[in-house]
Each structure stands twice: as C-alpha cells, then as structure tokens.
Amino acid sequence: MGTMGSKSVSTKQRRIAELARIHPDVSFTSLAYHVDLEWLREAYRRTRKDGAVGVDGQTADEYARELGANLKSLLERAKSGSYRAPAVRRVRIPKGASKKEKRPIGVPTFEDKVLQRAVQMVLEPLYEQDFLDCSYGFRPGRSAHDALQALWERLMELGGGWIIDLDIRKFFDTMSHAHLREILKRRVRDGVLKRLIGKWLKAGIWENGSVSYPERGTPQGGVLSPILSNIYLHDVLDKWFMEVVRPRLRGKAYLVRFADDAVLIFSDEQDACRVMEVLPKRFGKYRLTVHPEKTRIVHFRKPESPSKKKGSGSFNFLGFTHYWGRSRRGNWVVKRKTEKSRFSRALKAIAMWCKRHRHLPVREQQEALRRKLLGHYSYYGITGNYRLLSNFLHQVLRVWRKWLNRRSRGNHMPWEKFNLLLRRYPLPPVRVVHSVYAAKL
C-alpha cells in the first residue's frame, strides 16, 4: 500500500513538474486537486515521528491510532477551508558558541506537520523548475557539501577573488508576508493552497504561556519554512543576481547560496564594491536587512609571490573556515577547516553528554560516542581538514577519560589504564568522507 501510494504521488509530482517546465510564466489554479487521501498518507509517511510535540501535546503514536479517520478529517477541513492552523510552540536553542544568543525554533502540532508536508510536496516539483543552480539548501538531491564543492571549484577557477560574505539579519523572523504572497501569486493561484499558506503565516506563536501574532517571518522548524524561504530568496537574490547584476559586471561573478547563507564571488574588485553598495537597497525593498557588521568584502586571492607562506583573507561558510594554503605538492589551494565556534560547540556537547552519562556501562558510552564521532566525520570529514578532525578526536578522548575518572572518588582512570580500555572499546579513527578530488572525477 505504501509503495503504491508513493508511486502514485511521484507520478503526480512529475506531472506538476512537467507542466511547470513547459509553462514557466503560468500561475497554476488547480494544484490542490492532486492532494487526496493517498497524498496525505504519503505526507504522513514522510513526516518525522520522533519530533517534539506541539501545543496540543499530541504525539505521532497517538495520531496513528485513528490514522485513517484523522487523515480523512484533515483532508475535508483543508479542502473546505475550515482547517484552523494551530499556534506554533516556540523554543529557543543556543546559537553558535554564544551562551547568551538563542535561535528561536517553531514546533507545529503533528497534524499540522502532515498538512504542511502535503503542501510542500505540491510546491517542490513546481518551484524546482524555477530555482537556479546557485541555490543548494533544502532542495532534493542537493546538500551542504554540494554547495561547499561548488564554492571550492569557483574559487579555484578564479584563483580566489573578492568575496562578499553575506549575512541577512534575522531572515526567518523578518520575511515580509505581503511580499511572499506577491511572489507566490506569480506561480500559485490555487485557492486552497493560498488559503492554507495564509493561515500558517498568520498562526500565532505560543511562548511562555501566551500567544503572539507576528506580522512578519516564518518559524524556523516549520515543515514549510525551508521552501518558502527558498521561494523568497530566489526572487530577492538568486534571480536578481543572475539576470540583472551579472550581465552588467566587468569580470566573472558567482553566487553560492544555502538557505539564508550566501557567498558572492567576484574576479574584479570594482564589481564587488558596486554590488556591495546596492545590496542593502535591494534587500530593503523586500523588508530585509543586510547585517552591516557581519556582511563584508574579503580580499581572497592566492599569493602571487612563491615566497609567501599564507594567502590573503579568510571567511566562514556552512561551518567551515575557507583559507589559502599549500597542497602536499606545494601548490596554492583553497583549504577548509572546521570553524572555531562549531568545533567548540560540538566538543562542549560531547563533554556535557559524558558528564551526564558517566555512570553508564563503558560499552554503552563507547557506542554513543562512536555514533557522535561518525556523525562529526560525516559532516566535517572534508579534504584538508584532517588536522582538526584529529584534534577533535584527541579532545573527545581527553573528555571521556576525565569523566570516567570521576565515576568515583580517587584517580581510577590514569592514562595507562585508559589506553588499555581503548583497546577493548576503541573509538573510530578519523575519516575524510568528502574528497574534493573524488567529486571532480
């Protein structure tokens, strides 16, 4: 049943994509026609079941007990217009290495997640025909490592250049609902979808026992937020840069964007300065703010003199610091290493885990730490980052020994004993998972 439903939905999605590709300037009026009970079942299947609960406290297991009836009721309410978007529960998590700064995350109810997933499944094949190659975030078949690879290739091609390290201040909190509706209208005129999206934009935010109704923004953590942000920034940045800005420049220029993180690369310094001047006005037109301190031009050129030991400038993107360094053969290449704040945050999280779980059996601790390290390697295991990966593993070993040593009074885990323990309960060695050279083959 599940496989048949997936195939049926995939067939409908291909039909939407084909129509969108053939008619790039058409606004579609009958998209919700595709959303039926089978479509909702597939949306339910794709919805995470282990996420935090929303304001109604209902878990995925509780919703599944009467799944057929619940989905039928949801479909009727969505199509008739009687569906009421519940308030989104807001939680705040630490942002970066800062202890004070918090990132707000929205937690919808489980049923709301299912319906948002259903709408996302309609919008995705439609907008995938419009989105450009320069955007990588939250798109099928694309990842952060694809964005990093594209950036590396562009920088190597140009031998560096002038970088605009773009930072949009509180993008998810300030995205204009009015502008989003105008942008959506160019491709979506379906009454059911427009009404549902409008309700989600107006849904309240529940925090500290009260509900507020912000006039701007979309909650991070919402199922629909990633594609809405891509639709918005496709218009604000991607399309404008590729179709309006690039043809007017003297030299070569590239854009690499992952959600609201973007890097603009220029071969000509004057081009970079001209674009830097107009960016605040462009974003201001859509009620967005370019962060005046964090957005900067970085002179990122490889050294012309063979005697120089270091390239000019560095910048951060997707958790990596990019800089010029020598390859093993002595050539200048763009290197990436784990961003300092990301390194500290990841190590702190493991230290807290070791502290809280120091009384678990060693076998259980080893298994948990093994998974955490493999997860770290799977993201940060990139060509040129071996030294910091090794340092991370070394620091994890030090932290683990420290908290094993504190399981009881007295020094019961000197390094000699710990090294013997590691022979029985080894942690995974450093792995480079993503090779820039393999990606080019």
Side-chain angles (χ1 to χ4, degrees), residues 36-98:
D36 53 17
L37 202 54
E38 198 171 46
W39 189 282
L40 276 187
R41 281 190 179 277
E42 180 61 16
Y44 165 81
R45 190 186 69 80
R46 296 185 189 184
T47 301
R48 276 188 60 183
K49 312 298 189 293
D50 59 348
V53 297
V55 291
D56 62 355
Q58 187 179 48
T59 66
D61 288 342
E62 289 167 349
Y63 193 81
R65 286 172 196 161
E66 298 289 339
L67 183 61
N70 286 334
L71 293 180
K72 187 177 179 183
S73 167
L74 178 60
L75 182 64
E76 289 171 356
R77 283 177 284 138
K79 292 288 182 81
S80 68
S82 62
Y83 180 78
R84 295 183 64 182
V88 175
R89 184 169 69 86
R90 174 174 278 172
V91 295
R92 295 181 182 271
I93 62 172
K95 185 178 181 181
S98 170

Side-chain angles (χ1 to χ4, degrees), residues 94-113:
K95 185 178 181 181
S98 170
K99 293 180 180 179
K100 294 181 179 179
E101 199 173 357
K102 302 280 186 178
R103 183 191 300 276
I105 299 291
V107 183
T109 64
F110 182 77
E111 182 175 71
D112 208 45
K113 290 177 187 176

Side-chain angles (χ1 to χ4, degrees), residues 13 64 80 105 109 116 154 258 260 318 365 391:
Q13 288 182 313
S80 68
I105 299 291
T109 64
Q116 285 194 38
R154 302 290 178 266
F258 189 94
D260 60 330
L318 298 181
Q365 292 189 45
N391 188 18

Side-chain angles (χ1 to χ4, degrees), residues 67-334:
L67 183 61
N70 286 334
L71 293 180
K72 187 177 179 183
S73 167
L74 178 60
L75 182 64
E76 289 171 356
R77 283 177 284 138
K79 292 288 182 81
S80 68
S82 62
Y83 180 78
R84 295 183 64 182
V88 175
R89 184 169 69 86
R90 174 174 278 172
V91 295
R92 295 181 182 271
I93 62 172
K95 185 178 181 181
S98 170
K99 293 180 180 179
K100 294 181 179 179
E101 199 173 357
K102 302 280 186 178
R103 183 191 300 276
I105 299 291
V107 183
T109 64
F110 182 77
E111 182 175 71
D112 208 45
K113 290 177 187 176
V114 173
L115 189 54
Q116 285 194 38
R117 177 67 64 194
V119 172
Q120 181 263 344
M121 285 160 53
V122 177
L123 296 179
E124 184 176 87
L126 169 62
Y127 278 99
E128 272 300 307
Q129 312 313 306
D130 297 350
F131 290 158
L132 303 176
D133 283 343
C134 59
S135 73
Y136 292 85
F138 308 108
R139 293 182 58 186
R142 292 183 159 223
S143 69
H145 288 100
D146 292 327
L148 288 163
Q149 178 68 18
L151 176 61
W152 186 84
E153 290 175 1
R154 302 290 178 266
L155 291 170
M156 290 296 291
E157 175 197 332
L158 296 179
W162 284 263
I163 308 294
I164 294 182
D165 184 5
L166 177 61
D167 187 282
I168 308 168
R169 179 183 271 170
K170 296 184 177 179
F171 169 70
F172 286 94
D173 293 335
T174 58
M175 190 169 65
S176 164
H177 294 174
H179 282 298
L180 178 60
R181 288 190 187 95
E182 282 300 312
I183 293 168
L184 282 166
K185 198 186 294 180
R186 295 172 202 158
R187 286 301 248 165
V188 179
R189 286 188 180 269
D190 183 288
V192 172
L193 295 190
K194 283 173 62 181
R195 187 165 58 231
L196 284 171
I197 293 170
K199 287 180 178 182
W200 283 317
L201 293 176
K202 291 177 182 176
I205 303 292
W206 187 90
E207 187 175 21
N208 298 326
S210 62
V211 179
S212 61
Y213 296 90
E215 295 180 2
R216 298 166 72 184
T218 177
Q220 289 186 68
V223 176
L224 207 57
S225 291
I227 192 165
L228 292 182
S229 69
N230 269 340
I231 291 168
Y232 202 83
L233 287 174
H234 167 76
D235 235 62
V236 177
L237 180 59
D238 304 355
K239 197 175 173 185
W240 169 73
F241 181 79
M242 301 302 285
E243 296 179 6
V244 179
V245 174
R246 269 217 325 191
R248 291 171 168 78
L249 300 179
R250 301 193 321 172
K252 290 184 177 181
Y254 298 105
L255 165 67
V256 178
R257 181 176 68 80
F258 189 94
D260 60 330
D261 289 328
V263 173
L264 292 80
I265 313 158
F266 302 87
S267 63
D268 184 272
E269 184 179 9
Q270 283 188 327
D271 287 342
C273 293
R274 285 168 59 203
V275 173
M276 186 71 167
E277 282 181 20
V278 299
L279 274 176
K281 186 176 179 181
R282 174 65 184 176
F283 278 82
K285 180 181 174 182
Y286 290 85
R287 299 189 69 186
L288 296 173
T289 306
V290 172
H291 200 297
E293 286 85 35
K294 293 182 179 178
T295 299
R296 62 196 179 109
I297 294 180
V298 180
H299 182 211
F300 191 77
R301 300 289 293 182
K302 71 177 176 181
E304 295 178 4
S305 170
S307 62
K308 284 199 173 183
K309 295 182 179 180
K310 192 177 179 183
S312 63
S314 66
F315 65 94
N316 297 324
F317 184 60
L318 298 181
F320 291 91
T321 298
H322 294 65
Y323 65 101
W324 284 100
R326 295 278 195 185
S327 71
R328 288 181 179 178
R329 295 182 179 179
N331 299 319
W332 286 107
V333 294
V334 176

Side-chain angles (χ1 to χ4, degrees), residues 351-399:
M352 289 299 294
W353 188 92
C354 288
K355 179 181 179 181
R356 289 172 183 160
H357 299 90
R358 62 186 182 273
H359 295 297
L360 284 178
V362 174
R363 169 67 70 190
E364 290 183 30
Q365 292 189 45
Q366 178 230 18
E367 181 56 30
L369 290 173
R370 186 187 70 85
R371 290 196 301 269
K372 291 177 188 297
L373 277 170
L374 289 176
H376 188 85
Y377 300 158
S378 72
Y379 188 79
Y380 292 104
I382 197 167
T383 302
N385 198 30
Y386 193 89
R387 186 178 64 82
L388 276 177
L389 291 175
S390 297
N391 188 18
F392 188 78
L393 174 59
H394 175 69
Q395 296 298 332
V396 168
L397 290 172
R398 288 181 71 250
V399 163

